[in-house]
Amino acid sequence: MMLTVNGLSQEAAPRPGQCLRTLLRDLGWFGVKKGCDAGDCGACTVHLDGEPVHSCLVPALRAEGRAVTTIEGLSGPCGPDAAVPDRLHPVQEAFLAAQGFQCGFCTPGMVMTAAALDQGQRRDLGAALKGNLCRCTGYRAIADAIAGIADAIAGIADASAGSADASADSAVAEGDGAGGDPCGRSLPAPAGPAVVSGRARYTFDLAVEGLLHLKVLRSPHAHAEILQVDRAAALAVPGVVAVFTHEDVPASRYSTGRHEDPRDDAPDTLMLDRIVRFVGQRVAAVVAESEAAAEAGVAALVVTYAPRPALLDAERALDPDAPRVHDPGPPGADAPPLHPHPNLAAEVHGQVGDVEAGFAEADLVIEGTYRSQRIQHAHLETHGALGWRDEAGRLVLRTSSQVPFLTRDALAALLGLDRAQVRVLCGRVGGGFGGKQEMLTEDLVALAVLRLGRPVKWEFTRSEQFTGATTRHPMRVRVKLGARRDGTLTAIALDVLAETGAYANHAGGVLHHGCNEVIGVYRCPNKRVDGVSVYTHTVPAGAFRGYGLSQTIFAVESAMDDLARGLGLDPYLLRRRNAVRPGDPLVSTSLEPHDVAYGSYGLDQCLDRAEAAMREPGGEAPPGPGWRVGEGMAMAMIDTIPPRGHRAEARLSLTGAGTYALAVGTAEFGNGTATVHGQIAASVLGTRPGRVRLHASDTDAVGHDTGAYGSTGTVVAGQATLRAAEDLARAIRAAAAARTGTDPAACRLAGEAVETPAGPVPLADLAPLDAVGRADGSPRSVAFNVQAFRVAVHPGTGEVRILRSLHAADAGRVINPMQCRGQIEGGVAQALGAALYEEVRLDGAGRVETQSFRSYHIPAFADVPRTEVLFADTYDRIGPLGAKSMSESPFNPVAAALGNAIRDATGARLTETPFAPDRIYRAVAAARTCGS
Ligand code: FES
């Protein structure tokens, strides 16, 4: 058939049943993204004869004789390989100016939908954008983009202004931060033009000759032994070239979780196992010439299982007769660690002071039990990897990962290869939120490449994302607080049950982290923590934004609210009275020898600013009579870097007349580090960020990088960049001084030259120079967040409306206010989804019921209130150029602040997330009964 794509007449032969999305990608239009393949997310939106459509829902044959416009052709006719056009479409320009994206994976679809809106539709963006999901931004920047560039620029402030909603920043208009220190300014992301024009290349956005496709059969049982896999019928499917089962893979156990020290995670996983321990576990892999053939091969596999009793209730996990998830392995490095109970994956116990004496001296003791549910990262780009051998015969993996170096090391160890024989790199990564701190696809792809000698691709479906990837740890948290009449805390006790699911990836790390800063933030002499993380036969939990703290903070900050009510104290006052302050030891338990210090302290400012702002006029009016209005707040502290080492290396080179090449290992997945690294380097080198060309997330780029997790992109990789820049600047000054016979100390870098007492020396006249900077993630600082809400609750329906949302953050010196504001808005939006409706639901057999965005509701445009972001004004003496991390921590206080606001409005204390309307309705009715 013939169709026109972006002004080009193209001939195509769609496969039977093929959708327009895959046809367009087959033709090389990689701006058309796959987020769900079910019409739910809108990442694949294109114009068909001028009308926006979800191309995954349109049969390819329907495009015959019609005109298709993709994001690449929005500003004019072009070919699939055309560069970023000189002139963008006005909507693309607006998204660029407002930085209406983070990872950018939703952006092509969002821009295509926005470009087709008429004036009437623009007045109701909630309805107009209901078919386009964004997981990163919280939609504020998207709304700004659609409303117009001027509005967006006017909403951005210098960090020093203390508020992200104050004054204008001319740097945006200048585009590249010409003149002045680029740090502290809202400069645009260097990848912005490529993102908004659909040219940014994500994991699968490249054509590979001779590509094979991998699909896996997943277990229908929560617990079973595989007796036999009959592959004959699968191998008979035309196009199938191989089937791999547990008989074909290395016997080494490993963990999918990745940390700097691999011993942090129990090695309890096999690439393909004879025992399946959750519904959705990989059983066998089929590799074929096409995805369809691979799927047909999977369907043709005949597997004989011997089902076993399954443990689906975490509360029962440590019962003596509970089904065992893992048999104790043979002694040795490959065996899971032997705990007293085989279902105990990790535990933490510690105490300071005398907790019982502390409760005895309290005038009021508050106790509560809180439950946080299983939720999914739901990044729009699913997990996936593409592998091949390069000309030198090395194994190359292009993967959607936050940890390319740690993945390389794990692959080398698992497959018995020298590390130098493996290269792992990333394209632009379409979101992560901790979910891509796992090795979930690379191992099987690598195995298939090595065995078959051809390039192999494996891309998760959205359904697999829910059944075969990881989740946040469900937790039950018991908290007990004691305080004197004036509010002074006398004792804190925390008892945590975390559910790690079938495998222990991140079980220990999440448990320790979740039990740490949550009480470390309070200056109380008597503290006790008891926590366990248990195996069950359910989909594994893993790293998730906040890394355990969102669940425990929900409990402790809710209990603090009850304590304030019980004592008749203002909740801000209670926090101020008990919050740690510089000079106090940062203590959670006796177990925590640590390297954390107050690099800067802005918790007091966060409390003051949130409280003062909430007292000022603003926000929405209540929807009408019958609604009850209340306010609530919660605070949070986070260590700015994960413990026990987080390393980064940066290599910076002078490449010509004032241009530089910067190589870092960390990945850009919407966290904004690519922009920040350019700003840091440019700040030291006296140039503009646009003159610093970045090469990132490639194991060939630098020696090592632990990875982009724990909000380390700015504070660790940025520190390495800063050190490299300082060394290079020194070398450049010395070279210029040597040429002019002057003192290096009197020389200054200024754009394309070095100013010396003897006159300027053009950088182009200097020999090539480079420098390497390293950071090891120690010492660490602390960052703070305070969230406040005003809500309206309808007691008759349980519906909750957010009338006002305020978030105050201490991020140290904010290197890029607009991007940092976006991280906070996105974190609050994601946390609101978790607090209000998101839940990975399992049925009685352990099967995930919520396998699509239709059944797993993530916040859409209409669901997210605007959050006013306020920055504390501090300068961190530990972080690079005064900066602290601010990516995952905004998530953490949201559920508690919302629950406290609902409590204030209704008298009902919610102890379990999500706060679904039926749950609120029942709690309000129960509170009314108790009160009457
Ligand atoms: Fe929208 Fe990442 S920027 S999904």
Short mmCIF file of all heavy atoms in Angstrom, two decimals, residues 231-286:
data_model
loop_
_atom_site.label_atom_id
_atom_site.label_comp_id
_atom_site.label_asym_id
_atom_site.label_seq_id
_atom_site.Cartn_x
_atom_site.Cartn_y
_atom_site.Cartn_z
N ARG A 231 9.88 -28.42 24.12
CA ARG A 231 10.11 -27.31 23.21
C ARG A 231 9.83 -27.66 21.76
O ARG A 231 10.00 -26.81 20.87
CB ARG A 231 11.52 -26.76 23.35
CG ARG A 231 12.57 -27.69 23.86
CD ARG A 231 13.92 -26.98 24.02
NE ARG A 231 14.58 -27.38 25.27
CZ ARG A 231 15.62 -26.79 25.78
NH1 ARG A 231 16.15 -25.76 25.16
NH2 ARG A 231 16.16 -27.19 26.89
N ALA A 232 9.46 -28.90 21.45
CA ALA A 232 9.36 -29.34 20.06
C ALA A 232 8.39 -28.47 19.26
O ALA A 232 8.72 -28.01 18.16
CB ALA A 232 8.92 -30.81 20.01
N ALA A 233 7.20 -28.26 19.82
CA ALA A 233 6.21 -27.48 19.07
C ALA A 233 6.67 -26.04 18.88
O ALA A 233 6.42 -25.42 17.83
CB ALA A 233 4.87 -27.52 19.80
N ALA A 234 7.34 -25.50 19.88
CA ALA A 234 7.82 -24.12 19.76
C ALA A 234 8.89 -24.03 18.67
O ALA A 234 8.89 -23.11 17.84
CB ALA A 234 8.38 -23.65 21.09
N LEU A 235 9.80 -25.00 18.65
CA LEU A 235 10.86 -24.97 17.64
C LEU A 235 10.32 -25.19 16.24
O LEU A 235 10.97 -24.83 15.25
CB LEU A 235 11.92 -26.03 17.98
CG LEU A 235 12.81 -25.69 19.20
CD1 LEU A 235 13.62 -26.89 19.64
CD2 LEU A 235 13.73 -24.50 18.86
N ALA A 236 9.13 -25.78 16.17
CA ALA A 236 8.52 -26.02 14.86
C ALA A 236 7.82 -24.78 14.30
O ALA A 236 7.43 -24.74 13.14
CB ALA A 236 7.52 -27.17 14.96
N VAL A 237 7.65 -23.77 15.14
CA VAL A 237 7.00 -22.53 14.66
C VAL A 237 7.94 -21.85 13.66
O VAL A 237 9.12 -21.65 13.96
CB VAL A 237 6.70 -21.59 15.84
CG1 VAL A 237 6.23 -20.22 15.33
CG2 VAL A 237 5.67 -22.21 16.76
N PRO A 238 7.44 -21.52 12.46
CA PRO A 238 8.32 -20.85 11.48
C PRO A 238 8.93 -19.57 12.07
O PRO A 238 8.21 -18.75 12.64
CB PRO A 238 7.36 -20.53 10.32
CG PRO A 238 6.25 -21.53 10.45
CD PRO A 238 6.09 -21.77 11.92
N GLY A 239 10.22 -19.46 11.95
CA GLY A 239 10.90 -18.26 12.44
C GLY A 239 11.55 -18.44 13.79
O GLY A 239 12.45 -17.68 14.16
N VAL A 240 11.13 -19.44 14.56
CA VAL A 240 11.76 -19.65 15.87
C VAL A 240 13.14 -20.27 15.66
O VAL A 240 13.29 -21.25 14.93
CB VAL A 240 10.88 -20.56 16.76
CG1 VAL A 240 11.65 -20.99 18.03
CG2 VAL A 240 9.60 -19.83 17.16
N VAL A 241 14.14 -19.69 16.31
CA VAL A 241 15.50 -20.21 16.13
C VAL A 241 16.06 -20.87 17.39
O VAL A 241 17.01 -21.65 17.31
CB VAL A 241 16.47 -19.10 15.66
CG1 VAL A 241 16.05 -18.55 14.31
CG2 VAL A 241 16.58 -17.99 16.68
N ALA A 242 15.49 -20.55 18.55
CA ALA A 242 16.03 -21.19 19.76
C ALA A 242 15.04 -21.08 20.91
O ALA A 242 14.22 -20.16 20.96
CB ALA A 242 17.34 -20.51 20.18
N VAL A 243 15.14 -22.06 21.80
CA VAL A 243 14.38 -22.03 23.06
C VAL A 243 15.38 -22.29 24.18
O VAL A 243 16.20 -23.22 24.10
CB VAL A 243 13.28 -23.11 23.08
CG1 VAL A 243 12.62 -23.17 24.46
CG2 VAL A 243 12.24 -22.86 22.00
N PHE A 244 15.35 -21.44 25.19
CA PHE A 244 16.23 -21.63 26.35
C PHE A 244 15.39 -21.92 27.59
O PHE A 244 14.37 -21.26 27.84
CB PHE A 244 17.07 -20.37 26.60
CG PHE A 244 17.98 -20.01 25.45
CD1 PHE A 244 17.73 -18.88 24.69
CD2 PHE A 244 19.06 -20.80 25.12
CE1 PHE A 244 18.55 -18.53 23.63
CE2 PHE A 244 19.90 -20.47 24.06
CZ PHE A 244 19.65 -19.33 23.31
N THR A 245 15.82 -22.91 28.34
CA THR A 245 15.15 -23.25 29.61
C THR A 245 16.21 -23.25 30.73
O THR A 245 17.39 -22.95 30.48
CB THR A 245 14.49 -24.63 29.55
OG1 THR A 245 15.52 -25.63 29.61
CG2 THR A 245 13.67 -24.80 28.28
N HIS A 246 15.77 -23.67 31.92
CA HIS A 246 16.72 -23.70 33.04
C HIS A 246 17.88 -24.66 32.78
O HIS A 246 18.91 -24.58 33.45
CB HIS A 246 15.98 -24.09 34.34
CG HIS A 246 15.37 -25.45 34.31
ND1 HIS A 246 14.08 -25.70 33.90
CD2 HIS A 246 15.88 -26.66 34.64
CE1 HIS A 246 13.82 -26.98 33.99
NE2 HIS A 246 14.90 -27.59 34.43
N GLU A 247 17.72 -25.56 31.81
CA GLU A 247 18.80 -26.49 31.51
C GLU A 247 19.92 -25.83 30.70
O GLU A 247 20.99 -26.39 30.52
CB GLU A 247 18.24 -27.69 30.72
CG GLU A 247 17.28 -28.53 31.54
CD GLU A 247 16.50 -29.51 30.68
OE1 GLU A 247 16.54 -29.36 29.44
OE2 GLU A 247 15.85 -30.41 31.25
N ASP A 248 19.65 -24.61 30.19
CA ASP A 248 20.59 -23.99 29.24
C ASP A 248 21.33 -22.79 29.82
O ASP A 248 22.07 -22.13 29.09
CB ASP A 248 19.81 -23.51 28.01
CG ASP A 248 18.98 -24.60 27.39
OD1 ASP A 248 19.56 -25.66 27.08
OD2 ASP A 248 17.75 -24.42 27.27
N VAL A 249 21.10 -22.49 31.08
CA VAL A 249 21.67 -21.24 31.59
C VAL A 249 22.72 -21.53 32.66
O VAL A 249 22.76 -22.64 33.22
CB VAL A 249 20.55 -20.34 32.19
CG1 VAL A 249 19.52 -19.99 31.12
CG2 VAL A 249 19.90 -21.01 33.40
N PRO A 250 23.55 -20.54 32.97
CA PRO A 250 24.57 -20.75 34.02
C PRO A 250 23.93 -21.11 35.35
O PRO A 250 22.83 -20.65 35.67
CB PRO A 250 25.28 -19.39 34.11
CG PRO A 250 24.99 -18.70 32.82
CD PRO A 250 23.66 -19.20 32.36
N ALA A 251 24.64 -21.91 36.13
CA ALA A 251 24.11 -22.33 37.44
C ALA A 251 24.37 -21.29 38.52
O ALA A 251 23.96 -21.47 39.66
CB ALA A 251 24.74 -23.66 37.83
N SER A 252 25.03 -20.20 38.19
CA SER A 252 25.37 -19.19 39.21
C SER A 252 24.13 -18.42 39.64
O SER A 252 23.32 -18.00 38.80
CB SER A 252 26.38 -18.19 38.64
OG SER A 252 27.51 -18.85 38.20
N ARG A 253 24.06 -18.22 40.95
CA ARG A 253 22.98 -17.38 41.49
C ARG A 253 23.48 -15.94 41.60
O ARG A 253 24.65 -15.68 41.84
CB ARG A 253 22.54 -17.88 42.86
CG ARG A 253 21.85 -19.22 42.81
CD ARG A 253 21.41 -19.67 44.20
NE ARG A 253 20.92 -21.03 44.15
CZ ARG A 253 19.66 -21.35 43.83
NH1 ARG A 253 18.79 -20.39 43.57
NH2 ARG A 253 19.28 -22.61 43.77
N TYR A 254 22.55 -15.03 41.44
CA TYR A 254 22.88 -13.61 41.50
C TYR A 254 21.64 -12.89 42.02
O TYR A 254 20.61 -13.51 42.31
CB TYR A 254 23.28 -13.09 40.11
CG TYR A 254 22.16 -13.16 39.08
CD1 TYR A 254 21.43 -12.02 38.74
CD2 TYR A 254 21.82 -14.37 38.47
CE1 TYR A 254 20.39 -12.09 37.82
CE2 TYR A 254 20.78 -14.45 37.56
CZ TYR A 254 20.08 -13.29 37.23
OH TYR A 254 19.05 -13.37 36.34
N SER A 255 21.73 -11.59 42.11
CA SER A 255 20.54 -10.79 42.43
C SER A 255 20.29 -9.84 41.27
O SER A 255 21.24 -9.30 40.69
CB SER A 255 20.75 -9.99 43.71
OG SER A 255 19.66 -9.11 43.89
N THR A 256 19.00 -9.63 40.96
CA THR A 256 18.70 -8.64 39.92
C THR A 256 18.99 -7.24 40.43
O THR A 256 19.22 -6.33 39.63
CB THR A 256 17.22 -8.73 39.51
OG1 THR A 256 16.39 -8.43 40.64
CG2 THR A 256 16.88 -10.10 38.96
N GLY A 257 18.95 -7.02 41.74
CA GLY A 257 19.24 -5.70 42.31
C GLY A 257 20.71 -5.37 42.16
O GLY A 257 21.57 -6.24 42.30
N ARG A 258 21.00 -4.11 41.86
CA ARG A 258 22.38 -3.73 41.60
C ARG A 258 22.83 -2.68 42.61
O ARG A 258 22.15 -1.66 42.82
CB ARG A 258 22.53 -3.16 40.18
CG ARG A 258 22.05 -4.08 39.10
CD ARG A 258 23.17 -4.89 38.41
NE ARG A 258 24.13 -5.52 39.26
CZ ARG A 258 23.96 -6.74 39.84
NH1 ARG A 258 22.86 -7.42 39.64
NH2 ARG A 258 24.90 -7.24 40.59
N HIS A 259 23.95 -2.96 43.25
CA HIS A 259 24.57 -2.01 44.17
C HIS A 259 26.07 -2.00 43.93
O HIS A 259 26.62 -2.94 43.34
CB HIS A 259 24.30 -2.41 45.63
CG HIS A 259 22.94 -2.05 46.12
ND1 HIS A 259 21.93 -2.98 46.30
CD2 HIS A 259 22.41 -0.85 46.45
CE1 HIS A 259 20.84 -2.36 46.72
NE2 HIS A 259 21.10 -1.07 46.81
N GLU A 260 26.71 -0.96 44.44
CA GLU A 260 28.17 -0.86 44.30
C GLU A 260 28.84 -2.12 44.85
O GLU A 260 29.74 -2.67 44.24
CB GLU A 260 28.67 0.39 45.04
CG GLU A 260 30.18 0.55 45.08
CD GLU A 260 30.79 0.83 43.71
OE1 GLU A 260 30.08 1.39 42.86
OE2 GLU A 260 31.96 0.47 43.50
N ASP A 261 28.37 -2.57 46.01
CA ASP A 261 28.87 -3.82 46.57
C ASP A 261 27.83 -4.91 46.29
O ASP A 261 26.75 -4.92 46.88
CB ASP A 261 29.08 -3.68 48.08
CG ASP A 261 29.74 -4.92 48.68
OD1 ASP A 261 29.68 -5.99 48.04
OD2 ASP A 261 30.30 -4.81 49.79
N PRO A 262 28.13 -5.86 45.40
CA PRO A 262 27.13 -6.87 45.04
C PRO A 262 26.67 -7.70 46.22
O PRO A 262 25.60 -8.33 46.18
CB PRO A 262 27.85 -7.75 43.99
CG PRO A 262 29.17 -7.14 43.74
CD PRO A 262 29.39 -6.02 44.70
N ARG A 263 27.43 -7.69 47.31
CA ARG A 263 27.04 -8.48 48.48
C ARG A 263 25.87 -7.85 49.24
O ARG A 263 25.33 -8.44 50.16
CB ARG A 263 28.24 -8.67 49.41
CG ARG A 263 29.33 -9.55 48.82
CD ARG A 263 30.58 -9.52 49.66
NE ARG A 263 31.11 -8.17 49.79
CZ ARG A 263 32.22 -7.85 50.43
NH1 ARG A 263 32.92 -8.80 50.99
NH2 ARG A 263 32.64 -6.60 50.50
N ASP A 264 25.48 -6.64 48.84
CA ASP A 264 24.34 -6.00 49.50
C ASP A 264 23.03 -6.75 49.23
O ASP A 264 22.05 -6.56 49.95
CB ASP A 264 24.18 -4.55 49.02
CG ASP A 264 25.19 -3.63 49.67
OD1 ASP A 264 25.97 -4.11 50.51
OD2 ASP A 264 25.20 -2.43 49.33
N ASP A 265 22.98 -7.51 48.15
CA ASP A 265 21.75 -8.21 47.78
C ASP A 265 22.01 -9.72 47.76
O ASP A 265 23.00 -10.17 47.19
CB ASP A 265 21.28 -7.76 46.38
CG ASP A 265 21.00 -6.27 46.36
OD1 ASP A 265 19.96 -5.87 46.89
OD2 ASP A 265 21.82 -5.51 45.81
N ALA A 266 21.09 -10.46 48.36
CA ALA A 266 21.28 -11.91 48.45
C ALA A 266 21.29 -12.54 47.06
O ALA A 266 20.40 -12.25 46.25
CB ALA A 266 20.15 -12.52 49.27
N PRO A 267 22.25 -13.40 46.78
CA PRO A 267 22.27 -14.08 45.47
C PRO A 267 21.29 -15.24 45.46
O PRO A 267 21.66 -16.38 45.70
CB PRO A 267 23.73 -14.54 45.35
CG PRO A 267 24.16 -14.73 46.76
CD PRO A 267 23.41 -13.75 47.60
N ASP A 268 20.03 -14.95 45.20
CA ASP A 268 18.98 -15.97 45.30
C ASP A 268 18.27 -16.23 43.97
O ASP A 268 17.23 -16.87 43.93
CB ASP A 268 17.96 -15.56 46.37
CG ASP A 268 17.35 -14.19 46.11
OD1 ASP A 268 17.58 -13.65 45.02
OD2 ASP A 268 16.64 -13.67 46.99
N THR A 269 18.83 -15.72 42.88
CA THR A 269 18.14 -15.77 41.59
C THR A 269 18.96 -16.53 40.57
O THR A 269 20.19 -16.38 40.53
CB THR A 269 17.91 -14.32 41.09
OG1 THR A 269 17.21 -13.59 42.10
CG2 THR A 269 17.11 -14.30 39.80
N LEU A 270 18.27 -17.32 39.76
CA LEU A 270 18.91 -17.95 38.60
C LEU A 270 18.31 -17.33 37.33
O LEU A 270 17.17 -16.89 37.33
CB LEU A 270 18.66 -19.45 38.60
CG LEU A 270 19.42 -20.26 39.66
CD1 LEU A 270 18.85 -21.67 39.77
CD2 LEU A 270 20.91 -20.31 39.31
N MET A 271 19.08 -17.33 36.28
CA MET A 271 18.61 -16.72 35.04
C MET A 271 17.27 -17.35 34.62
O MET A 271 16.31 -16.66 34.30
CB MET A 271 19.67 -16.95 33.96
CG MET A 271 19.69 -15.91 32.88
SD MET A 271 20.90 -16.30 31.61
CE MET A 271 22.35 -15.56 32.26
N LEU A 272 17.23 -18.66 34.64
CA LEU A 272 15.98 -19.42 34.49
C LEU A 272 16.06 -20.54 35.51
O LEU A 272 17.08 -21.22 35.61
CB LEU A 272 15.84 -20.00 33.07
CG LEU A 272 15.68 -18.98 31.93
CD1 LEU A 272 15.88 -19.65 30.57
CD2 LEU A 272 14.31 -18.31 31.99
N ASP A 273 15.00 -20.71 36.27
CA ASP A 273 15.06 -21.59 37.44
C ASP A 273 14.12 -22.79 37.24
O ASP A 273 13.07 -22.67 36.58
CB ASP A 273 14.62 -20.78 38.67
CG ASP A 273 15.15 -21.38 39.97
OD1 ASP A 273 15.37 -22.60 40.03
OD2 ASP A 273 15.34 -20.62 40.94
N ARG A 274 14.48 -23.88 37.86
CA ARG A 274 13.61 -25.07 37.83
C ARG A 274 12.41 -24.87 38.78
O ARG A 274 11.38 -25.50 38.60
CB ARG A 274 14.44 -26.28 38.28
CG ARG A 274 13.78 -27.63 38.13
CD ARG A 274 14.76 -28.73 38.53
NE ARG A 274 15.30 -28.52 39.87
CZ ARG A 274 14.67 -28.83 41.01
NH1 ARG A 274 13.47 -29.39 40.97
NH2 ARG A 274 15.23 -28.60 42.19
N ILE A 275 12.60 -24.00 39.74
CA ILE A 275 11.51 -23.68 40.67
C ILE A 275 10.98 -22.29 40.34
O ILE A 275 11.77 -21.34 40.22
CB ILE A 275 12.00 -23.68 42.14
CG1 ILE A 275 12.72 -24.99 42.46
CG2 ILE A 275 10.83 -23.42 43.09
CD1 ILE A 275 11.85 -26.22 42.42
N VAL A 276 9.67 -22.17 40.19
CA VAL A 276 9.10 -20.84 40.01
C VAL A 276 8.49 -20.40 41.33
O VAL A 276 7.84 -21.20 42.02
CB VAL A 276 8.06 -20.80 38.87
CG1 VAL A 276 8.75 -20.88 37.52
CG2 VAL A 276 7.00 -21.88 39.01
N ARG A 277 8.69 -19.12 41.67
CA ARG A 277 8.31 -18.64 43.01
C ARG A 277 7.32 -17.48 42.97
O ARG A 277 7.00 -16.93 44.00
CB ARG A 277 9.58 -18.23 43.77
CG ARG A 277 10.53 -19.38 44.00
CD ARG A 277 11.77 -18.97 44.78
NE ARG A 277 12.59 -20.13 45.08
CZ ARG A 277 13.51 -20.63 44.26
NH1 ARG A 277 13.74 -20.04 43.08
NH2 ARG A 277 14.21 -21.70 44.60
N PHE A 278 6.88 -17.08 41.79
CA PHE A 278 5.78 -16.12 41.71
C PHE A 278 5.12 -16.23 40.35
O PHE A 278 5.74 -16.68 39.38
CB PHE A 278 6.24 -14.68 41.99
CG PHE A 278 7.16 -14.07 40.95
CD1 PHE A 278 6.67 -13.25 39.95
CD2 PHE A 278 8.54 -14.31 40.97
CE1 PHE A 278 7.51 -12.65 39.01
CE2 PHE A 278 9.39 -13.73 40.03
CZ PHE A 278 8.87 -12.90 39.05
N VAL A 279 3.86 -15.84 40.32
CA VAL A 279 3.16 -15.84 39.03
C VAL A 279 3.80 -14.73 38.19
O VAL A 279 3.79 -13.56 38.57
CB VAL A 279 1.66 -15.54 39.22
CG1 VAL A 279 0.97 -15.48 37.86
CG2 VAL A 279 1.01 -16.60 40.10
N GLY A 280 4.36 -15.13 37.07
CA GLY A 280 5.04 -14.15 36.23
C GLY A 280 6.54 -14.39 36.14
O GLY A 280 7.23 -13.75 35.35
N GLN A 281 7.06 -15.33 36.94
CA GLN A 281 8.50 -15.61 36.86
C GLN A 281 8.84 -16.19 35.49
O GLN A 281 8.06 -16.93 34.88
CB GLN A 281 8.92 -16.58 37.95
CG GLN A 281 10.41 -16.92 37.90
CD GLN A 281 10.89 -17.65 39.14
OE1 GLN A 281 10.45 -17.36 40.26
NE2 GLN A 281 11.81 -18.60 38.95
N ARG A 282 10.03 -15.90 35.01
CA ARG A 282 10.48 -16.39 33.70
C ARG A 282 10.61 -17.92 33.75
O ARG A 282 11.25 -18.47 34.65
CB ARG A 282 11.83 -15.79 33.34
CG ARG A 282 11.81 -14.30 33.46
CD ARG A 282 13.05 -13.54 33.09
NE ARG A 282 14.34 -14.03 33.45
CZ ARG A 282 15.45 -13.29 33.29
NH1 ARG A 282 15.38 -12.06 32.77
NH2 ARG A 282 16.61 -13.76 33.61
N VAL A 283 10.03 -18.59 32.78
CA VAL A 283 10.11 -20.05 32.70
C VAL A 283 11.03 -20.47 31.55
O VAL A 283 11.89 -21.34 31.70
CB VAL A 283 8.70 -20.66 32.51
CG1 VAL A 283 8.78 -22.15 32.18
CG2 VAL A 283 7.86 -20.44 33.76
N ALA A 284 10.82 -19.87 30.40
CA ALA A 284 11.63 -20.22 29.23
C ALA A 284 11.65 -19.04 28.29
O ALA A 284 10.73 -18.21 28.28
CB ALA A 284 11.05 -21.45 28.53
N ALA A 285 12.71 -18.95 27.49
CA ALA A 285 12.84 -17.86 26.52
C ALA A 285 12.82 -18.43 25.11
O ALA A 285 13.45 -19.46 24.84
CB ALA A 285 14.15 -17.11 26.76
N VAL A 286 12.10 -17.76 24.25
CA VAL A 286 12.04 -18.15 22.84
C VAL A 286 12.62 -17.01 22.00
O VAL A 286 12.27 -15.85 22.20
CB VAL A 286 10.58 -18.42 22.41
CG1 VAL A 286 10.51 -18.73 20.91
CG2 VAL A 286 9.98 -19.57 23.22
#
